[in-house]
Amino acid sequence: LGTHTFAISHREGDGKVEVHEKMNDVFVAETGEATLLVGGEMVGGKQAKPGEWLGDSIKGGVKRRLSPGDIVHIPARMPHQLLIPAGKEFTYFVVKVETK
C-alpha cells in the first residue's frame, strides 16, 4: 500500500545495525530468542539505499531480551540491531510503517 509493509523474518545469527529514516518498525517475536540492542549511536554507518542505513555496531543503547509473544516498537531514526545467541534461532513478524 506504499505506507506500510509486513514480513516474517528468520535469523540464525546477528543482524547488522539498522536505521530507517522514515519507517517505524514493530517486531512481534514468534519463536526462539534474541537480544534487541536499541538507541545510542550507529558506528560505521553506510547508506544501503535511500533512507536506509546499515552499520557495524551501536555506541550506547539499551539491550532488551526478546522471547515469543514480545512486541516492540522502534521509532524511525532509532539505531537497532538483533543479536542472536550462538546456536539459537529467532523468527519474528515485522510491520514497517512510514512516518509523516
Coordinates of all heavy atoms in Angstrom, one line a residue:
L1 N 0.8 -1.2 0.0 CA 0.0 0.0 0.0 C 0.8 1.3 0.0 O 0.3 2.4 0.0 CB -0.9 0.0 1.2 CG -2.0 -1.2 1.2 CD1 -2.7 -1.2 2.6 CD2 -2.9 -1.1 0.1
G2 N 2.2 1.1 0.1 CA 3.0 2.3 0.0 C 3.4 2.9 1.3 O 4.4 3.6 1.4
T3 N 2.6 2.8 2.3 CA 2.9 3.4 3.6 C 3.3 2.4 4.7 O 3.7 2.8 5.8 CB 1.7 4.2 4.1 OG1 0.5 3.3 4.3 CG2 1.3 5.3 3.2
H4 N 3.1 1.1 4.4 CA 3.5 0.1 5.4 C 3.7 -1.3 4.6 O 3.2 -1.5 3.5 CB 2.5 -0.1 6.5 CG 1.1 -0.5 6.0 ND1 0.2 0.4 5.5 CD2 0.5 -1.7 5.9 CE1 -0.9 -0.2 5.2 NE2 -0.8 -1.5 5.4
T5 N 4.6 -2.1 5.3 CA 4.8 -3.4 4.8 C 4.8 -4.4 5.9 O 4.9 -4.1 7.1 CB 6.2 -3.5 4.1 OG1 7.2 -3.3 5.1 CG2 6.3 -2.6 3.0
F6 N 4.6 -5.7 5.6 CA 4.6 -6.8 6.5 C 5.5 -7.9 6.1 O 5.7 -8.1 4.8 CB 3.2 -7.4 6.6 CG 2.1 -6.5 7.0 CD1 1.3 -5.8 6.0 CD2 1.8 -6.2 8.3 CE1 0.3 -5.0 6.3 CE2 0.8 -5.3 8.6 CZ 0.0 -4.7 7.7
A7 N 6.2 -8.5 7.0 CA 7.1 -9.6 6.6 C 7.3 -10.6 7.8 O 7.2 -10.1 9.0 CB 8.5 -9.1 6.2
I8 N 7.7 -11.8 7.5 CA 8.1 -12.7 8.5 C 9.6 -12.8 8.3 O 10.1 -13.1 7.2 CB 7.5 -14.1 8.4 CG1 6.0 -14.1 8.5 CG2 8.1 -15.1 9.3 CD1 5.5 -14.0 9.9
S9 N 10.4 -12.6 9.4 CA 11.9 -12.7 9.3 C 12.4 -13.8 10.2 O 11.8 -14.1 11.2 CB 12.5 -11.4 9.7 OG 12.2 -10.4 8.7
H10 N 13.5 -14.4 9.7 CA 14.1 -15.5 10.5 C 15.6 -15.2 10.5 O 16.2 -15.0 9.5 CB 13.8 -16.9 9.8 CG 14.5 -18.0 10.5 ND1 13.9 -18.6 11.7 CD2 15.6 -18.7 10.3 CE1 14.7 -19.5 12.1 NE2 15.7 -19.6 11.3
R11 N 16.2 -15.3 11.7 CA 17.6 -15.1 11.9 C 18.2 -16.3 12.6 O 17.7 -16.8 13.6 CB 17.9 -13.8 12.6 CG 17.5 -12.6 11.9 CD 18.1 -11.3 12.5 NE 17.7 -10.1 11.9 CZ 18.2 -9.6 10.8 NH1 19.3 -10.1 10.3 NH2 17.8 -8.5 10.3
E12 N 19.4 -16.6 12.2 CA 20.3 -17.6 12.8 C 21.6 -17.0 13.3 O 22.5 -17.8 13.7 CB 20.4 -18.8 11.9 CG 19.1 -19.5 11.6 CD 19.2 -20.7 10.7 OE1 20.4 -21.0 10.3 OE2 18.2 -21.2 10.3
G13 N 21.7 -15.7 13.2 CA 22.9 -15.0 13.6 C 22.6 -13.5 13.7 O 21.5 -13.1 13.4
D14 N 23.5 -12.8 14.2 CA 23.4 -11.4 14.5 C 23.0 -10.6 13.2 O 23.6 -10.9 12.1 CB 24.6 -10.7 15.1 CG 24.9 -11.3 16.5 OD1 24.1 -11.9 17.0 OD2 26.0 -11.0 16.9
G15 N 22.2 -9.6 13.3 CA 21.9 -8.7 12.1 C 22.8 -7.5 12.2 O 23.5 -7.3 13.2
K16 N 22.8 -6.8 11.1 CA 23.6 -5.5 11.1 C 22.8 -4.5 11.9 O 21.6 -4.6 12.1 CB 23.7 -5.0 9.6 CG 24.5 -5.9 8.7 CD 26.0 -5.8 9.0 CE 26.6 -4.7 8.2 NZ 28.1 -4.6 8.4
V17 N 23.5 -3.4 12.2 CA 22.8 -2.3 12.8 C 22.0 -1.6 11.7 O 22.5 -1.4 10.6 CB 23.8 -1.3 13.5 CG1 23.1 -0.1 14.0 CG2 24.6 -2.0 14.5
E18 N 20.7 -1.2 12.0 CA 19.9 -0.6 11.0 C 19.4 0.7 11.5 O 19.1 0.9 12.7 CB 18.7 -1.5 10.7 CG 19.0 -2.8 10.1 CD 17.8 -3.7 9.9 OE1 16.7 -3.1 9.8 OE2 17.9 -4.9 9.8
V19 N 19.2 1.7 10.6 CA 18.5 2.9 10.9 C 17.6 3.2 9.6 O 18.1 3.2 8.5 CB 19.5 4.1 11.1 CG1 18.7 5.4 11.2 CG2 20.2 3.9 12.4
H20 N 16.3 3.4 9.9 CA 15.4 3.7 8.8 C 14.9 5.2 9.0 O 14.4 5.5 10.1 CB 14.2 2.8 8.8 CG 14.5 1.4 9.1 ND1 15.2 0.6 8.2 CD2 14.3 0.6 10.1 CE1 15.4 -0.6 8.7 NE2 14.8 -0.6 9.9
E21 N 15.2 6.1 8.1 CA 14.9 7.5 8.2 C 13.4 7.7 8.3 O 13.0 8.6 9.0 CB 15.5 8.3 7.1 CG 17.0 8.3 7.2 CD 17.6 9.1 6.0 OE1 16.9 9.7 5.2 OE2 18.9 9.1 6.0
K22 N 12.6 7.0 7.6 CA 11.2 7.3 7.5 C 10.2 6.1 7.9 O 9.0 6.2 7.6 CB 10.8 7.8 6.1 CG 11.5 9.1 5.8 CD 11.1 9.6 4.4 CE 11.7 10.9 4.1 NZ 11.3 11.4 2.8
M23 N 10.8 5.0 8.4 CA 10.0 3.9 8.7 C 10.1 3.5 10.2 O 11.2 3.4 10.7 CB 10.4 2.7 7.9 CG 10.2 2.8 6.4 SD 8.6 3.1 5.8 CE 7.9 1.5 5.8
N24 N 9.0 3.3 10.9 CA 8.9 2.8 12.2 C 8.8 1.2 12.0 O 8.2 0.7 11.1 CB 7.6 3.2 12.9 CG 7.5 4.7 13.1 OD1 8.4 5.3 13.8 ND2 6.5 5.3 12.6
D25 N 9.5 0.5 12.9 CA 9.4 -0.9 12.9 C 8.6 -1.4 14.1 O 8.7 -0.9 15.2 CB 10.8 -1.6 13.1 CG 11.6 -1.6 11.8 OD1 11.0 -1.5 10.7 OD2 12.8 -1.8 11.9
V26 N 7.8 -2.4 13.9 CA 7.1 -3.1 15.0 C 7.5 -4.6 14.8 O 7.3 -5.2 13.8 CB 5.6 -3.0 15.0 CG1 4.9 -3.8 16.1 CG2 5.2 -1.5 15.1
F27 N 8.1 -5.2 15.9 CA 8.5 -6.6 15.9 C 7.6 -7.4 16.8 O 7.3 -6.9 17.9 CB 9.9 -6.8 16.4 CG 11.0 -6.2 15.5 CD1 12.3 -6.2 16.0 CD2 10.8 -5.7 14.3 CE1 13.4 -5.7 15.3 CE2 11.9 -5.2 13.5 CZ 13.2 -5.2 14.0
V28 N 7.1 -8.5 16.3 CA 6.3 -9.4 17.1 C 7.1 -10.7 17.2 O 7.2 -11.4 16.1 CB 4.9 -9.7 16.6 CG1 4.2 -10.7 17.5 CG2 4.2 -8.4 16.4
A29 N 7.7 -11.1 18.3 CA 8.5 -12.3 18.4 C 7.6 -13.5 18.3 O 6.6 -13.6 19.0 CB 9.3 -12.3 19.8
E30 N 8.0 -14.4 17.5 CA 7.2 -15.6 17.2 C 7.9 -16.9 17.9 O 7.2 -17.5 18.7 CB 7.1 -15.9 15.7 CG 6.3 -14.8 15.0 CD 4.8 -14.9 15.3 OE1 4.3 -15.9 15.5 OE2 4.2 -13.7 15.4
T31 N 9.1 -17.2 17.6 CA 9.8 -18.3 18.1 C 11.3 -18.0 18.4 O 11.8 -17.1 17.8 CB 9.8 -19.6 17.2 OG1 10.5 -19.3 16.0 CG2 8.3 -20.0 16.9
G32 N 11.9 -18.7 19.3 CA 13.3 -18.5 19.6 C 13.6 -17.4 20.6 O 12.7 -17.0 21.3
E33 N 14.8 -16.9 20.5 CA 15.2 -15.9 21.4 C 16.2 -15.0 20.8 O 16.9 -15.4 19.9 CB 15.7 -16.4 22.7 CG 17.0 -17.3 22.6 CD 17.4 -17.9 23.9 OE1 16.8 -19.0 24.2 OE2 18.4 -17.4 24.5
A34 N 16.2 -13.7 21.2 CA 17.1 -12.7 20.7 C 17.3 -11.6 21.7 O 16.6 -11.5 22.7 CB 16.6 -12.1 19.4
T35 N 18.3 -10.8 21.5 CA 18.5 -9.6 22.3 C 18.4 -8.4 21.3 O 19.1 -8.4 20.3 CB 19.9 -9.6 23.0 OG1 19.9 -10.7 23.9 CG2 20.1 -8.3 23.7
L36 N 17.6 -7.5 21.6 CA 17.5 -6.3 20.8 C 18.3 -5.2 21.4 O 18.2 -4.9 22.6 CB 16.0 -5.8 20.7 CG 15.8 -4.5 20.0 CD1 16.1 -4.6 18.5 CD2 14.3 -4.0 20.2
L37 N 19.3 -4.7 20.7 CA 20.1 -3.5 21.1 C 19.5 -2.3 20.4 O 19.4 -2.3 19.1 CB 21.5 -3.7 20.7 CG 22.5 -2.6 21.0 CD1 22.5 -2.2 22.5 CD2 23.9 -3.0 20.6
V38 N 19.1 -1.3 21.1 CA 18.3 -0.2 20.5 C 18.8 1.1 21.2 O 19.1 1.2 22.4 CB 16.8 -0.4 20.7 CG1 16.4 -0.4 22.1 CG2 16.0 0.6 19.9
G39 N 18.7 2.2 20.4 CA 19.1 3.5 20.9 C 20.6 3.8 20.6 O 21.3 3.1 19.9
G40 N 21.1 4.8 21.3 CA 22.5 5.1 21.2 C 22.9 5.7 19.8 O 22.0 6.3 19.2
E41 N 24.1 5.4 19.4 CA 24.6 6.0 18.1 C 25.2 4.9 17.2 O 26.0 4.1 17.7 CB 25.7 7.0 18.5 CG 26.3 7.7 17.3 CD 27.4 8.6 17.7 OE1 27.4 9.1 18.9 OE2 28.4 8.8 16.9
M42 N 24.8 4.9 15.9 CA 25.3 3.9 15.0 C 26.8 4.2 14.7 O 27.2 5.4 14.6 CB 24.6 4.0 13.7 CG 25.1 3.1 12.6 SD 24.3 3.3 11.0 CE 22.9 2.3 11.2
V43 N 27.6 3.2 14.7 CA 29.0 3.3 14.4 C 29.3 2.6 13.0 O 28.8 1.5 12.8 CB 29.9 2.6 15.5 CG1 31.4 2.6 15.1 CG2 29.7 3.3 16.8
G44 N 30.0 3.2 12.1 CA 30.4 2.7 10.8 C 29.2 2.6 9.9 O 29.1 1.7 9.1
G45 N 28.3 3.5 10.0 CA 27.1 3.5 9.1 C 27.4 3.9 7.7 O 28.1 4.8 7.4
K46 N 26.7 3.2 6.8 CA 26.8 3.4 5.4 C 25.4 3.3 4.8 O 24.6 2.5 5.2 CB 27.7 2.4 4.7 CG 29.1 2.5 5.1 CD 30.0 1.5 4.3 CE 31.5 1.8 4.6 NZ 32.0 0.9 5.6
Q47 N 25.1 4.2 3.9 CA 23.7 4.2 3.3 C 23.6 3.0 2.3 O 24.4 2.8 1.4 CB 23.5 5.5 2.5 CG 22.1 5.7 2.1 CD 21.7 7.0 1.5 OE1 22.6 7.7 1.0 NE2 20.5 7.4 1.6
A48 N 22.6 2.2 2.6 CA 22.4 1.0 1.8 C 21.5 1.3 0.6 O 21.6 0.7 -0.4 CB 21.8 -0.1 2.7
K49 N 20.5 2.2 0.8 CA 19.6 2.7 -0.2 C 19.0 3.9 0.4 O 19.2 4.2 1.6 CB 18.6 1.6 -0.6 CG 17.7 1.2 0.5 CD 16.7 0.1 0.0 CE 15.8 -0.4 1.1 NZ 14.8 -1.4 0.6
P50 N 18.3 4.7 -0.4 CA 17.8 6.0 0.1 C 16.9 5.8 1.4 O 16.0 4.9 1.4 CB 16.9 6.5 -1.1 CG 17.6 5.9 -2.3 CD 18.1 4.6 -1.9
G51 N 17.3 6.5 2.4 CA 16.5 6.4 3.7 C 16.9 5.2 4.5 O 16.3 5.0 5.6
E52 N 17.8 4.4 4.1 CA 18.2 3.1 4.9 C 19.7 3.1 5.1 O 20.4 3.2 4.2 CB 17.7 1.9 4.1 CG 16.2 1.8 3.8 CD 15.4 1.5 5.1 OE1 15.8 0.8 5.9 OE2 14.3 2.1 5.1
W53 N 20.1 2.9 6.4 CA 21.5 2.9 6.7 C 21.8 1.6 7.4 O 21.0 1.1 8.2 CB 21.8 4.1 7.7 CG 21.6 5.4 7.0 CD1 20.5 6.1 6.8 CD2 22.7 6.2 6.4 NE1 20.7 7.2 6.1 CE2 22.1 7.3 5.9 CE3 24.0 6.0 6.3 CZ2 22.8 8.3 5.3 CZ3 24.8 7.0 5.7 CH2 24.1 8.2 5.2
L54 N 23.0 1.0 7.2 CA 23.5 -0.2 7.9 C 24.8 0.2 8.5 O 25.6 0.9 7.9 CB 23.6 -1.3 6.9 CG 22.4 -1.9 6.2 CD1 22.7 -3.0 5.2 CD2 21.4 -2.4 7.2
G55 N 25.0 -0.4 9.7 CA 26.2 -0.1 10.4 C 26.8 -1.3 11.1 O 26.3 -2.4 11.0
D56 N 28.0 -1.1 11.7 CA 28.8 -2.2 12.3 C 28.4 -2.4 13.8 O 28.4 -3.6 14.2 CB 30.3 -1.9 12.2 CG 30.7 -1.8 10.8 OD1 30.2 -2.6 9.9 OD2 31.5 -0.9 10.5
S57 N 28.1 -1.4 14.5 CA 27.8 -1.5 15.9 C 27.1 -0.3 16.4 O 26.8 0.7 15.7 CB 29.2 -1.7 16.7 OG 30.0 -0.5 16.6
I58 N 26.7 -0.4 17.7 CA 26.0 0.7 18.4 C 26.8 1.2 19.6 O 27.2 0.3 20.4 CB 24.6 0.3 18.8 CG1 23.7 0.1 17.5 CG2 23.9 1.4 19.7 CD1 22.3 -0.4 17.8
K59 N 27.0 2.4 19.7 CA 27.7 3.0 20.9 C 26.6 3.5 21.8 O 25.7 4.3 21.4 CB 28.6 4.2 20.5 CG 29.3 4.8 21.6 CD 30.2 6.0 21.1 CE 30.9 6.7 22.3 NZ 31.7 7.8 21.8
G60 N 26.6 2.9 23.0 CA 25.5 3.2 23.9 C 24.3 2.3 23.6 O 24.5 1.2 23.1
G61 N 23.1 2.7 23.9 CA 22.0 1.9 23.6 C 21.6 1.0 24.8 O 22.3 0.9 25.7
V62 N 20.5 0.4 24.6 CA 19.9 -0.5 25.7 C 19.6 -1.9 25.1 O 19.1 -2.0 24.0 CB 18.6 0.2 26.2 CG1 17.9 -0.7 27.3 CG2 18.9 1.6 26.8
K63 N 19.9 -2.9 25.9 CA 19.6 -4.3 25.5 C 18.3 -4.7 26.1 O 18.1 -4.5 27.3 CB 20.7 -5.2 25.9 CG 22.0 -5.0 25.1 CD 23.1 -6.0 25.5 CE 24.3 -5.9 24.6 NZ 25.3 -6.9 25.0
R64 N 17.5 -5.4 25.3 CA 16.3 -6.0 25.8 C 16.1 -7.4 25.2 O 16.2 -7.6 24.0 CB 15.1 -5.1 25.3 CG 13.8 -5.7 25.7 CD 12.6 -4.9 25.4 NE 11.4 -5.6 25.8 CZ 10.2 -5.3 25.3 NH1 10.0 -4.3 24.4 NH2 9.2 -6.1 25.6
R65 N 16.0 -8.3 26.1 CA 15.8 -9.7 25.7 C 14.4 -9.9 25.1 O 13.4 -9.4 25.7 CB 16.0 -10.6 26.9 CG 16.0 -12.1 26.5 CD 16.4 -12.9 27.8 NE 16.1 -14.3 27.6 CZ 16.9 -15.2 27.1 NH1 18.1 -14.8 26.7 NH2 16.6 -16.4 26.9
L66 N 14.3 -10.6 23.9 CA 13.0 -10.9 23.3 C 12.8 -12.4 23.3 O 13.6 -13.2 23.0 CB 13.0 -10.4 21.9 CG 13.3 -8.9 21.6 CD1 13.3 -8.6 20.1 CD2 12.2 -8.1 22.4
S67 N 11.5 -12.7 23.6 CA 11.1 -14.1 23.6 C 9.7 -14.1 23.0 O 9.0 -13.1 22.8 CB 11.1 -14.7 25.0 OG 10.4 -14.0 25.9
P68 N 9.2 -15.3 22.6 CA 7.9 -15.4 22.0 C 6.8 -14.6 22.7 O 6.6 -14.7 23.9 CB 7.6 -16.9 22.0 CG 8.9 -17.5 21.9 CD 9.8 -16.6 22.8
G69 N 6.0 -13.9 21.9 CA 4.9 -13.0 22.4 C 5.3 -11.6 22.7 O 4.4 -10.7 22.8
D70 N 6.6 -11.3 22.7 CA 7.0 -9.9 23.0 C 6.7 -9.1 21.7 O 6.9 -9.5 20.6 CB 8.5 -9.8 23.3 CG 8.8 -10.3 24.7 OD1 7.9 -10.4 25.5 OD2 10.0 -10.6 24.9
I71 N 6.4 -7.8 21.9 CA 6.1 -6.8 20.9 C 6.9 -5.6 21.2 O 6.9 -5.1 22.3 CB 4.6 -6.5 20.8 CG1 3.8 -7.7 20.5 CG2 4.4 -5.4 19.7 CD1 2.3 -7.5 20.6
V72 N 7.7 -5.1 20.2 CA 8.5 -3.9 20.4 C 8.2 -2.9 19.3 O 8.0 -3.3 18.1 CB 10.0 -4.2 20.6 CG1 10.3 -4.9 21.8 CG2 10.5 -4.9 19.3
H73 N 8.2 -1.6 19.6 CA 8.1 -0.6 18.6 C 9.4 0.2 18.5 O 10.0 0.6 19.6 CB 7.0 0.4 19.0 CG 6.9 1.6 18.2 ND1 7.5 2.8 18.6 CD2 6.4 1.8 16.9 CE1 7.3 3.7 17.6 NE2 6.6 3.1 16.6
I74 N 10.0 0.3 17.3 CA 11.3 1.0 17.1 C 11.0 2.2 16.2 O 10.7 2.0 15.1 CB 12.3 0.1 16.5 CG1 12.5 -1.1 17.4 CG2 13.6 0.9 16.3 CD1 13.2 -2.3 16.7
P75 N 11.0 3.4 16.8 CA 10.7 4.6 16.0 C 11.7 4.8 14.9 O 12.9 4.4 15.0 CB 10.8 5.8 17.0 CG 10.9 5.1 18.4 CD 11.4 3.7 18.2
A76 N 11.3 5.5 13.8 CA 12.2 5.9 12.7 C 13.4 6.7 13.3 O 13.3 7.3 14.4 CB 11.4 6.8 11.8
R77 N 14.5 6.5 12.7 CA 15.8 7.1 13.0 C 16.5 6.6 14.3 O 17.4 7.1 14.8 CB 15.7 8.7 13.1 CG 15.3 9.3 11.8 CD 15.0 10.8 11.9 NE 13.8 11.1 12.6 CZ 12.5 10.9 12.2 NH1 12.3 10.5 11.0 NH2 11.5 11.3 13.0
M78 N 15.9 5.5 14.8 CA 16.5 4.9 16.0 C 17.4 3.7 15.6 O 16.9 2.7 15.0 CB 15.3 4.4 16.9 CG 15.8 3.6 18.2 SD 16.3 4.7 19.5 CE 14.8 5.6 19.8
P79 N 18.7 3.7 16.0 CA 19.5 2.6 15.7 C 19.0 1.4 16.4 O 18.6 1.4 17.6 CB 20.9 3.0 16.2 CG 20.8 4.5 16.2 CD 19.4 4.8 16.6
H80 N 19.1 0.2 15.7 CA 18.7 -1.0 16.3 C 19.4 -2.2 15.7 O 19.8 -2.2 14.5 CB 17.2 -1.2 16.3 CG 16.6 -1.2 14.9 ND1 16.4 0.0 14.2 CD2 16.1 -2.2 14.1 CE1 15.8 -0.3 13.1 NE2 15.7 -1.6 13.0
Q81 N 19.6 -3.3 16.5 CA 20.3 -4.5 16.0 C 19.7 -5.7 16.8 O 19.5 -5.6 18.0 CB 21.8 -4.4 16.2 CG 22.6 -5.5 15.8 CD 24.1 -5.4 16.1 OE1 24.5 -4.7 17.0 NE2 24.9 -6.1 15.3
L82 N 19.5 -6.8 16.1 CA 19.1 -8.0 16.7 C 20.4 -8.9 16.9 O 21.1 -9.1 15.9 CB 18.1 -8.8 15.9 CG 16.6 -8.3 16.1 CD1 15.7 -8.9 15.0 CD2 16.1 -8.5 17.5
L83 N 20.6 -9.3 18.1 CA 21.7 -10.2 18.4 C 21.1 -11.6 18.8 O 20.2 -11.7 19.6 CB 22.5 -9.7 19.6 CG 22.9 -8.2 19.5 CD1 23.5 -7.7 20.8 CD2 24.0 -8.1 18.3
I84 N 21.6 -12.6 18.1 CA 21.1 -14.0 18.3 C 22.2 -14.8 19.0 O 23.3 -14.9 18.5 CB 20.8 -14.6 16.9 CG1 19.9 -13.7 16.1 CG2 20.1 -16.0 17.1 CD1 18.6 -13.3 16.6
P85 N 21.9 -15.5 20.1 CA 22.8 -16.3 20.8 C 23.4 -17.4 19.9 O 22.6 -17.9 19.1 CB 22.1 -16.8 22.0 CG 20.9 -15.9 22.2 CD 20.6 -15.4 20.8
A86 N 24.6 -17.8 20.1 CA 25.2 -18.9 19.3 C 24.4 -20.1 19.4 O 23.9 -20.5 20.5 CB 26.6 -19.2 19.8
G87 N 24.1 -20.7 18.3 CA 23.3 -22.0 18.2 C 21.8 -21.8 18.3 O 21.1 -22.7 18.3
K88 N 21.3 -20.5 18.4 CA 19.9 -20.3 18.6 C 19.3 -19.7 17.3 O 20.1 -19.3 16.4 CB 19.6 -19.3 19.7 CG 20.1 -19.8 21.0 CD 19.3 -20.9 21.6 CE 19.8 -21.3 23.0 NZ 19.0 -22.4 23.5
E89 N 18.0 -19.6 17.2 CA 17.3 -19.0 16.1 C 16.2 -18.1 16.6 O 15.8 -18.2 17.7 CB 16.7 -20.1 15.2 CG 17.6 -21.1 14.6 CD 16.9 -22.2 13.8 OE1 15.7 -22.2 13.7 OE2 17.7 -23.1 13.3
F90 N 15.8 -17.2 15.7 CA 14.7 -16.2 16.1 C 13.9 -15.9 14.9 O 14.4 -15.6 13.8 CB 15.4 -14.9 16.6 CG 14.4 -13.9 17.2 CD1 13.6 -14.2 18.3 CD2 14.3 -12.7 16.5 CE1 12.7 -13.3 18.8 CE2 13.4 -11.7 17.0 CZ 12.6 -12.0 18.2
T91 N 12.6 -16.1 15.0 CA 11.6 -15.8 14.0 C 10.7 -14.7 14.5 O 10.2 -14.9 15.6 CB 10.8 -17.0 13.6 OG1 11.8 -18.0 13.1 CG2 9.8 -16.7 12.4
Y92 N 10.4 -13.7 13.7 CA 9.6 -12.6 14.2 C 8.8 -12.0 13.0 O 9.2 -12.1 11.8 CB 10.4 -11.5 14.9 CG 11.5 -11.0 14.1 CD1 11.5 -9.7 13.6 CD2 12.7 -11.7 13.8 CE1 12.5 -9.1 12.8 CE2 13.7 -11.2 13.0 CZ 13.6 -9.9 12.6 OH 14.7 -9.3 11.8
F93 N 7.6 -11.5 13.3 CA 6.8 -10.8 12.4 C 7.1 -9.3 12.4 O 7.3 -8.7 13.5 CB 5.3 -11.0 12.8 CG 4.3 -10.3 11.8 CD1 4.1 -10.8 10.5 CD2 3.5 -9.3 12.3 CE1 3.2 -10.2 9.7 CE2 2.6 -8.7 11.5 CZ 2.4 -9.1 10.2
V94 N 7.3 -8.7 11.3 CA 7.8 -7.3 11.2 C 6.7 -6.4 10.4 O 6.2 -6.8 9.4 CB 9.1 -7.1 10.4 CG1 9.5 -5.7 10.4 CG2 10.2 -8.0 11.0
V95 N 6.3 -5.3 11.1 CA 5.5 -4.3 10.4 C 6.3 -3.1 10.3 O 6.8 -2.6 11.3 CB 4.2 -4.1 11.2 CG1 3.3 -3.0 10.5 CG2 3.4 -5.3 11.5
K96 N 6.4 -2.5 9.1 CA 7.1 -1.3 8.9 C 6.1 -0.3 8.5 O 5.3 -0.5 7.5 CB 8.2 -1.4 7.8 CG 9.3 -2.3 8.2 CD 10.4 -2.3 7.1 CE 11.7 -3.0 7.6 NZ 12.4 -2.3 8.5
V97 N 6.0 0.9 9.2 CA 5.0 1.9 9.0 C 5.7 3.2 8.7 O 6.5 3.7 9.5 CB 4.1 2.0 10.2 CG1 3.0 3.1 9.9 CG2 3.4 0.7 10.6
E98 N 5.4 3.8 7.6 CA 6.0 5.1 7.2 C 5.6 6.2 8.1 O 4.4 6.3 8.5 CB 5.7 5.4 5.7 CG 6.4 6.6 5.2 CD 6.1 6.8 3.7 OE1 5.5 5.9 3.0 OE2 6.5 7.9 3.2
T99 N 6.6 7.0 8.5 CA 6.3 8.2 9.3 C 5.8 9.3 8.4 O 6.0 9.3 7.2 CB 7.5 8.7 10.1 OG1 8.5 9.1 9.2 CG2 8.0 7.6 11.0
K100 N 5.2 10.3 9.0 CA 4.7 11.5 8.3 C 5.5 12.7 8.6 O 6.1 12.8 9.6 CB 3.2 11.8 8.6 CG 2.4 10.6 8.2 CD 1.1 11.1 7.8 CE 0.3 9.8 7.3 NZ -0.7 10.1 6.4

